Amino acid sequence: MSHASEHVAAPAILKEVNPAHFPRATLVENNRSFGWITDKICGIIEGKTPTWWWVCFILACFVASFTVIGITYLVATGVGVWGHANPVNWAWDIVNFVFWIGIGHAGTLISAILCLLRQKWRTSINRAAEAMTIFAVVCAGIFPVFHVGRVWFAWYLFPIPNSNVIWQNFRSPLEWDVFAVSTYGTVSVLFWYVGLLPDLAILRDRFLAAGNKVRSALYGFFALGWRGSNRHWSNYEMAYLILAGVSTPLVLSVHTIVSFDFAVSLLPGWHTTIFPPYFVAGAIFSGFGMVLTLMLPLRAIYRLEDLITQYHIDCMCKIVLATGTIVGYAYGVEFFIAWYGSNPYEGFAFINRAFGHYAWAYWIMISCNVITPQFFWFKKVRENIWFVWVLSIFVNVGMWFERFVIIVTSLARDFLPSSWGYYSPSIVEIFTFFGTFGVFSVLFLLFIRFLPVMPMAELKAVTPQADPHAGHDHP
Amino acid sequence: MSSTHAATVTGSLPATAPAGIAALATKALTIGAIGIGLTIAGLFVSGGAKVAYSWLVGLTFWTGIAIGMLFLVMIHHIVDASWSTVIRRQFEHGLAAFKWLGLLFIPLVAAALYDKQLVWKWFDPAFDLAKVGGTGTVGEDILWVKKAGLLNPTFFVGATVVSFLIWIWLSARLRKASFTQDFDGDLKWTSHNRTTAAFGLALTALTMTLSIIFWVKSLDYHFFSTMYGVWYFAGCIRAALSAGVIIMVWLYLRGDYKGILNNNHLHSIGQLIFAFTVFWAYITFSQYFLIWNANIPEETFWYSLREINNSDGVPNQWKWVGLFLLFGHFFLPFLTLIHYRVKLSKTWMPRIAFYIAFVFLIDLIYNVWPSKKNELGDPLPFLAVHQLWTITAVIGIGGVCVWAYLKSFPTAKLIPIRDPRINESLTHHE
């Protein structure tokens, strides 16, 4: 390729450039200073524990106890206490696992992918989203571990040589789940922890200045000797970017494998090729739904409006709208191909979903996942915080029902009508699932009480005063 | 919304096209005419059916690039992107090809309607399936009867016409608003294009899915896969991004983009191509893996046909094409583009872009041609005389598309000079 043209003069068109004035939204409002940001975020941890926190924490512990009761009864009695019966031998256990793992995947996905896409608005939500990921994976892990029945043999899931020469079926996506989820959990914790390092050091120094040596030592221990030197920051940025790069394919692969749990089968309603990207889109959808559900109350309680601005809420609502519409596209294509494929069993599975005994679940799913997000087309809706919060809960509900519809309706109507059944959860299953919201809440409450809910250094980097051009266009 | 600068009208279009563009357009049209002429000559060598298949490949290839450009322009608007503003204008010119592609579809559809056994065998329920290794007629085939409400010539023509009308209409809206903003600088055009993009993305996704089902998937009307629309989308975006790289570097080497295009633009578009390389592999692997693993004959036949002959089970040429796609359409671009230096290179990026566009063509050939079978039910070979007409069709249709792009080129400013994000794009950096 010739390089002679490298010396051609710059085109005259550049002299005509005169952009229309349309400033971008500021990510930290009211021109808040760096000091204000530090005080605001650290203040949540340094201040006296508020009464509402104790009320919520006790309530969350109470709710979590339901899981403890459910699991204790299960372990003491056996998995027969769940409502499973032919032909539905897989129901709430896997529904709840996929529900929580979907939310769990979304946190890192939001954080890592938005980081790779250089979306600066992520700074206000990524820390909480990453925390949400880890806590959701904890909740998800409860179900596969305990559904094996004899939980003390759960270690057989791993390929550890044992005296019984029991070896795993490596051709099963369920076994891939074991590796994928455990790897994902590990990387998520690392990703979250690396991001926390500079903030833990700030807390160490502030507690030391305040004379609280115990807490200073604790935060200092976990801050790994962070001093904020140029070398530290350089290594930190590189490590964070690598972890974001590793997390992105990992998170996609994990939810893809979860979709394979179903799609590799021959079962009508499960065996469909669009499952992998459709599950990933659903994970982003439910993840943003959960982030909105958690962050909006947090924003109101701690008066974080300058850090989680209307622009952030707008962005999240639009992503919910986009991913909800993609999920709607997948529902439509599935239904269409069930007809187009002309397999009577496949066709029946979908007609049965929409008009059979579980039609109520199907229409809840459609209403919550396809219709609900369409409200976000309207600016007035996006600006009404209460409305957004309620709609985000609908998204969570809808995504739970999506898994229920896929799993239970496909199993309940077997190939032979003589094998048809109707699944209802037992009280033990209801207790176990209900309690996981308590487990999740306990962990999240501990997170907001003891760890910085937003990355302070990253927030400071997106303030207007951190911009060398001070927000002005530059030629 | 109105701009604070709205009253300022800057610049005017040059009275004549930039140097060499008009001559280049004539050359492109001439090459296109030669390509079309040679393809027509192919009718006397290989017969109408094979030339029709070739023409279909050429159309899906160039329409795919145009659809990809339409998606990219709309995604740019919907996410309020900045760095891609200088590239967007070239994609907008590329959208001018839609109406010509629509016109070039007419001979194929007219031929298929005239001889209903020519391309899509379900056009004629009396089609004797013994000609393709089957038994009975299409009309007696329950798998067609079940979907006859959709797979019929009326619906096919309707869906194709509606799809092209929607793409042409969306393109016209996006182009008009963008070009007009160059003169009045009014922000209402930014808002207008964002609105168009919001509903346009959904409309394009639906019409693209329906079109590729009709045009390609229904060639083997027994086959079904929910992933098919997503597969075509992935290919379209990769090819459109590749076309973007080629245009950018070409304009840079001409001198037009000197001072406009910087290494970071190339790096960013290279990252997008890398991401969509992985996405294409993800989609294609998922489809293959789920069908292979379930091993249901009503699905596996589609891949089996692309690996072994129906009659004797002997591996055919398509097996090697499939393997080439695996290594050539994924591993090679993946391992090349993973290096950041490659993405910064004005020498390497166009080469990679040409290569990706070429393999997109091979992917389409792999999807289209094996559906053309002999009386034993074996697919016609990949390497044969009839593939010449695929090449001439791609050149012929391509010549017209490049001509349409070059004709549009002088009708607007080189870059969107009044776009609110133009300065962010011109100074794009890490």
Side-chain angles (χ1 to χ4, degrees):
Chain A
M1 197 174 285
S2 165
H3 292 277
S5 51
E6 297 267 347
H7 305 292
V8 176
I13 191 81
L14 288 178
K15 292 178 189 148
E16 295 180 41
V17 170
N18 180 16
H21 186 61
F22 186 29
R24 289 196 181 274
T26 49
L27 297 174
V28 176
E29 287 183 344
N30 289 322
N31 207 22
R32 295 299 188 182
S33 66
F34 292 175
W36 183 88
I37 292 171
T38 308
D39 289 341
K40 189 73 184 171
I41 304 297
C42 292
I44 296 171
I45 300 160
E46 294 164 346
K48 190 170 171 285
T49 307
T51 311
W52 69 264
W53 189 92
W54 279 114
V55 172
C56 290
F57 187 72
I58 291 164
L59 189 66
C61 288
F62 174 68
V63 174
S65 70
F66 281 73
T67 291
V68 178
I69 294 166
I71 286 171
T72 307
Y73 187 68
L74 172 89
V75 171
T77 318
V79 280
V81 297
W82 282 353
H84 298 177
N86 261 339
V88 186
N89 288 309
W90 229 24
W92 269 37
D93 46 356
I94 190 80
V95 170
N96 299 335
F97 166 70
V98 181
F99 170 74
W100 279 116
I101 209 78
I103 290 168
H105 290 169
T108 302
L109 194 133
I110 289 164
S111 202
I113 289 187
L114 292 184
C115 175
L116 293 182
L117 293 175
R118 302 181 197 138
Q119 293 301 300
K120 292 177 180 173
W121 61 272
R122 67 183 272 283
T123 49
S124 295
I125 59 162
N126 74 309
R127 175 71 50 75
E130 289 161 23
M132 181 190 87
T133 283
I134 296 160
F135 307 149
V137 169
V138 169
C139 293
I142 292 170
F143 295 95
V145 167
F146 283 92
H147 105 298
V148 299
R150 298 171 188 172
V151 69
W152 48 94
F153 288 136
W155 62 276
Y156 279 7
L157 289 167
F158 295 94
I160 300 168
N162 56 73
S163 55
N164 296 328
V165 201
I166 293 172
W167 208 233
Q168 294 71 30
N169 180 4
F170 288 104
R171 290 183 297 179
S172 166
L174 294 173
E175 184 60 22
W176 307 344
D177 265 341
V178 175
F179 305 122
V181 174
S182 52
T183 310
Y184 175 68
T186 310
V187 172
S188 296
V189 171
L190 275 175
F191 192 37
W192 185 58
Y193 182 54
V194 167
L196 272 167
L197 286 175
D199 293 347
L200 292 174
I202 292 174
L203 286 163
R204 172 198 63 196
D205 297 343
R206 286 174 67 100
F207 277 117
L208 189 64
N212 190 336
K213 288 186 180 172
V214 176
R215 291 189 76 173
S216 173
L218 265 174
Y219 283 111
F221 176 78
F222 287 107
L224 302 180
W226 179 273
R227 295 185 309 281
S229 70
N230 185 37
R231 189 188 170 106
H232 284 185
W233 276 111
S234 175
N235 289 340
Y236 167 87
E237 292 286 348
M238 185 52 73
Y240 198 79
L241 195 62
I242 289 171
L243 281 169
V246 170
S247 299
T248 301
L250 192 63
V251 75
L252 293 176
S253 73
V254 175
H255 220 63
T256 298
I257 291 170
V258 168
S259 80
F260 282 177
D261 290 347
F262 311 101
V264 295
S265 73
L266 307 181
L267 198 72
W270 286 10
H271 176 67
T272 177
T273 51
I274 206 171
F275 256 27
Y278 151 41
F279 267 51
V280 171
I284 304 171
F285 179 62
S286 66
F288 271 100
M290 188 58 98
V291 171
L292 280 168
T293 306
L294 296 172
M295 293 307 274
L296 291 179
L298 201 65
R299 175 183 189 256
I301 291 166
Y302 286 113
R303 310 300 306 168
L304 297 170
E305 288 86 352
D306 289 340
L307 301 177
I308 304 171
T309 67
Q310 182 56 43
Y311 176 71
H312 291 94
I313 296 168
D314 259 7
C315 289
M316 287 191 271
C317 289
K318 285 175 187 174
I319 290 178
V320 168
L321 170 60
T323 48
T325 308
I326 292 172
V327 167
Y329 168 86
Y331 293 161
V333 169
E334 264 192 309
F335 223 108
F336 169 70
I337 295 294
W339 170 81
Y340 181 90
S342 305
N343 180 326
Y345 298 105
E346 191 75 24
F348 172 78
F350 279 86
I351 295 292
N352 181 55
R353 273 184 191 176
F355 306 108
H357 287 83
Y358 287 107
W360 56 274
Y362 181 82
W363 293 108
I364 289 175
M365 175 189 87
I366 293 288
S367 307
C368 293
N369 293 350
V370 184
I371 299 170
T372 294
Q374 304 310 319
F375 284 100
F376 290 139
W377 281 105
F378 307 104
K379 197 176 178 188
K380 278 194 189 312
V381 171
R382 298 197 302 268
E383 287 177 349
N384 185 326
I385 302 302
W386 276 104
F387 207 3
V388 171
W389 191 70
V390 171
L391 291 180
S392 76
I393 289 173
F394 277 120
V395 169
N396 295 317
V397 171
M399 284 310 290
W400 186 87
F401 271 96
E402 179 191 288
R403 281 65 180 246
F404 179 82
V405 166
I406 290 171
I407 293 158
V408 175
T409 66
S410 303
L411 288 170
R413 289 292 177 267
D414 212 334
F415 288 94
L416 293 175
S418 57
S419 305
W420 288 2
Y422 190 88
Y423 164 82
S424 298
S426 73
I427 191 71
V428 181
E429 282 168 294
I430 295 170
F431 265 43
T432 309
F433 177 55
F434 175 64
T436 53
F437 288 99
V439 174
F440 183 84
S441 304
V442 166
L443 293 169
F444 198 77
L445 284 163
L446 288 170
F447 160 68
I448 58 178
R449 186 72 201 98
F450 295 106
L451 291 170
V453 292
M454 290 177 196
M456 288 176 268
E458 289 186 46
L459 271 176
K460 290 168 192 171
V462 299
T463 54
Q465 61 267 38
D467 180 2
H469 303 290
H472 297 298
D473 285 335
H474 53 94
Chain B
M1 275 185 294
S2 66
S3 162
T4 52
H5 300 293
T8 316
V9 176
T10 47
S12 57
L13 284 174
T16 54
I21 293 291
L24 211 56
T26 310
K27 274 185 198 165
L29 193 59
T30 309
I31 291 170
I34 292 169
I36 292 170
L38 286 172
T39 313
I40 292 168
L43 289 170
F44 303 101
V45 180
S46 300
K50 289 174 183 171
V51 170
Y53 267 69
S54 296
W55 196 249
L56 179 63
V57 171
L59 283 170
T60 46
F61 176 75
W62 287 103
T63 308
I65 293 176
I67 290 173
M69 287 183 172
L70 181 59
F71 268 119
L72 288 169
V73 169
M74 292 192 289
I75 291 170
H76 171 98
H77 287 298
I78 203 77
V79 301
D80 192 12
S82 61
W83 69 267
S84 48
T85 307
V86 296
I87 306 162
R88 194 192 75 214
R89 177 53 48 87
Q90 305 313 320
F91 288 149
E92 287 164 353
H93 289 312
L95 300 183
F98 267 127
K99 53 181 177 287
W100 301 104
L101 285 163
L103 278 175
L104 291 169
F105 236 100
I106 291 174
L108 179 65
V109 177
L113 287 171
Y114 177 74
D115 178 357
K116 290 187 174 173
Q117 303 201 349
L118 195 69
V119 191
W120 296 277
K121 43 189 172 290
W122 46 267
F123 265 41
D124 183 8
F127 184 95
D128 183 4
L129 291 170
K131 291 178 187 170
V132 291
T135 52
T137 64
V138 167
E140 293 162 356
D141 184 354
I142 188 67
L143 289 179
W144 176 75
V145 173
K146 286 273 186 187
K147 52 190 116 177
L150 179 80
L151 293 188
N152 59 68
T154 312
F155 226 107
F156 179 96
V157 173
T160 303
V161 169
V162 167
S163 297
F164 268 104
L165 287 177
I166 286 173
W167 299 332
I168 291 166
W169 175 63
L170 287 172
S171 302
R173 279 178 66 89
L174 292 162
R175 279 161 53 88
K176 185 186 170 192
S178 178
F179 294 175
T180 310
Q181 193 178 48
D182 287 353
F183 293 97
D184 62 15
D186 198 329
L187 274 178
K188 77 176 181 190
W189 300 117
T190 300
S191 175
H192 173 280
N193 271 349
R194 198 173 294 177
T195 309
T196 304
F199 64 79
L201 281 166
L203 276 176
T204 309
L206 290 174
T207 47
M208 179 205 65
T209 306
L210 199 59
S211 297
I212 202 63
I213 288 172
F214 270 123
W215 299 344
V216 179
K217 190 159 85 170
S218 75
L219 288 167
D220 251 327
Y221 63 86
H222 283 196
F223 181 62
F224 56 91
S225 166
T226 43
M227 192 74 106
Y228 214 71
V230 189
W231 160 79
Y232 191 53
F233 168 78
C236 293
I237 296 286
R238 286 181 81 185
L241 288 167
S242 301
V245 169
I246 294 163
I247 293 169
M248 283 156 61
V249 177
W250 169 66
L251 287 172
Y252 181 84
L253 294 176
R254 265 176 54 88
D256 300 288
Y257 260 34
K258 183 83 178 171
I260 293 172
L261 183 75
N262 67 43
N263 281 348
N264 290 308
H265 292 114
L266 267 185
H267 187 249
S268 294
I269 202 166
Q271 285 178 313
L272 272 182
I273 296 178
F274 178 78
F276 275 94
T277 296
V278 177
F279 183 68
W280 175 89
Y282 172 65
I283 294 301
T284 311
F285 168 75
S286 296
Q287 178 175 277
Y288 180 85
F289 174 74
L290 291 174
I291 289 174
W292 170 80
N293 192 78
N295 204 17
I296 305 172
E298 63 199 56
E299 293 176 340
T300 52
F301 83 92
W302 195 85
Y303 281 111
S304 294
L305 202 64
R306 285 156 177 78
E307 195 173 331
I308 53 172
N309 282 334
N310 179 58
S311 57
D312 53 13
V314 171
N316 56 34
Q317 292 181 356
W318 296 103
K319 176 182 177 179
W320 305 108
V321 180
L323 285 170
F324 170 71
L325 285 173
L326 170 65
F327 290 97
H329 212 15
F330 173 59
F331 283 112
L332 191 59
F334 176 84
L335 293 172
T336 311
L337 287 168
I338 205 164
H339 299 286
Y340 82 96
R341 285 186 193 282
V342 172
K343 294 192 282 273
L344 295 172
S345 166
K346 291 188 185 71
T347 306
W348 278 103
M349 281 302 286
R351 291 176 185 177
I352 294 168
F354 269 118
Y355 173 77
I356 287 175
F358 166 71
V359 191
F360 173 54
L361 174 65
I362 301 292
D363 197 12
L364 286 168
I365 291 173
Y366 180 77
N367 274 264
V368 171
W369 267 101
S371 303
K372 181 76 187 150
K373 298 168 209 159
N374 62 21
E375 62 282 358
L376 295 172
D378 299 336
L380 299 190
F382 170 64
L383 293 173
V385 174
H386 57 249
Q387 223 54 270
L388 278 176
W389 319 125
T390 306
I391 297 167
T392 56
V394 169
I395 292 170
I397 298 165
V400 175
C401 290
V402 173
W403 169 77
Y405 163 81
L406 291 169
K407 288 292 282 181
S408 172
F409 189 85
T411 62
K413 297 284 183 186
L414 188 63
I415 51 173
I417 53 171
R418 306 301 306 276
D419 187 284
R421 307 292 175 230
I422 186 66
N423 272 342
E424 288 180 44
S425 181
L426 287 168
T427 56
H428 176 47
H429 53 78
E430 282 295 316

